[in-house]
Amino acid sequence: MYLPGRKGVNGAVWVLAALLPLTPAAQPPPARWLSSAPCNTRLQALFTPPFPRLGRYQVCTSPKALVELVPSEWLVQKVTPLDAFGMAGPYNRAALSRLYGGQLALVARGWIEESGQFESRTYISPYPDAALGRLLPGTLIIRFIICCR
């Protein structure tokens, strides 16, 4: 997902944005999940790049299980916490690994197009609190939004 010579996902976003119109978008989950998923600026500061070059990030949480939120055709996987959260944010990787203690995270990734807006979404469950002190039930939703076409 990373382009040579670039750190983070922003370089790859240009490639993704160019390819998105060529592939069909998955149907998004119903919009009502957004109203019940409060966004968290502290988690956003931990798990996303501080100054994205293109688009913007939102990090939200939901008490619902991951499988209730993602479109049915999206692949749901169990991955290590470092693979789930990636390398884009400034979070303490050692603390996150200790917190999960060998437990894998349930993750689903995909993108949607809605009203001329592209969104890359990552769903992670369980997820850490902002202090990286405990795992919380429910789902963390990382949205990377590129608007408008």
Side-chain angles (χ1 to χ4, degrees), residues 128-148:
D129 65 358
L132 300 181
R134 64 187 176 113
L135 289 177
L136 301 172
T139 304
L140 180 80
I141 306 145
I142 301 174
R143 301 171 64 208
F144 179 65
I145 303 160
I146 302 172
C147 181
C148 294

Side-chain angles (χ1 to χ4, degrees), residues 1-147:
M1 177 141 187
Y2 298 102
L3 295 177
R6 296 221 184 214
K7 290 189 178 194
V9 297
N10 285 321
V13 169
W14 291 104
V15 173
L16 177 63
L19 295 176
L20 286 178
L22 300 178
T23 56
Q27 286 299 100
R32 67 182 177 274
W33 78 270
L34 290 172
S35 62
S36 65
C39 295
N40 186 312
T41 56
R42 291 181 65 208
L43 290 171
Q44 180 176 325
L46 278 178
F47 298 118
T48 66
F51 303 105
R53 293 182 190 157
L54 174 71
R56 63 186 169 88
Y57 284 92
Q58 281 186 336
V59 176
C60 307
T61 59
S62 173
K64 293 184 178 184
L66 182 143
V67 295
E68 293 178 54
L69 297 172
V70 301
S72 59
E73 64 274 8
W74 286 14
L75 178 64
V76 176
Q77 300 176 296
K78 288 186 176 185
V79 301
T80 67
L82 296 181
D83 287 335
F85 288 93
M87 303 299 287
Y91 67 93
N92 182 323
R93 283 139 180 80
L96 185 75
S97 293
R98 281 192 302 273
L99 180 60
Y100 275 85
Q103 177 182 345
L104 297 177
L106 201 58
V107 176
R109 291 184 173 96
W111 67 272
I112 64 163
E113 178 186 1
E114 192 172 56
S115 302
Q117 175 172 294
F118 294 105
E119 282 189 33
S120 168
R121 292 187 186 170
T122 301
Y123 297 81
I124 304 170
S125 182
Y127 65 94
D129 65 358
L132 300 181
R134 64 187 176 113
L135 289 177
L136 301 172
T139 304
L140 180 80
I141 306 145
I142 301 174
R143 301 171 64 208
F144 179 65
I145 303 160
I146 302 172
C147 181

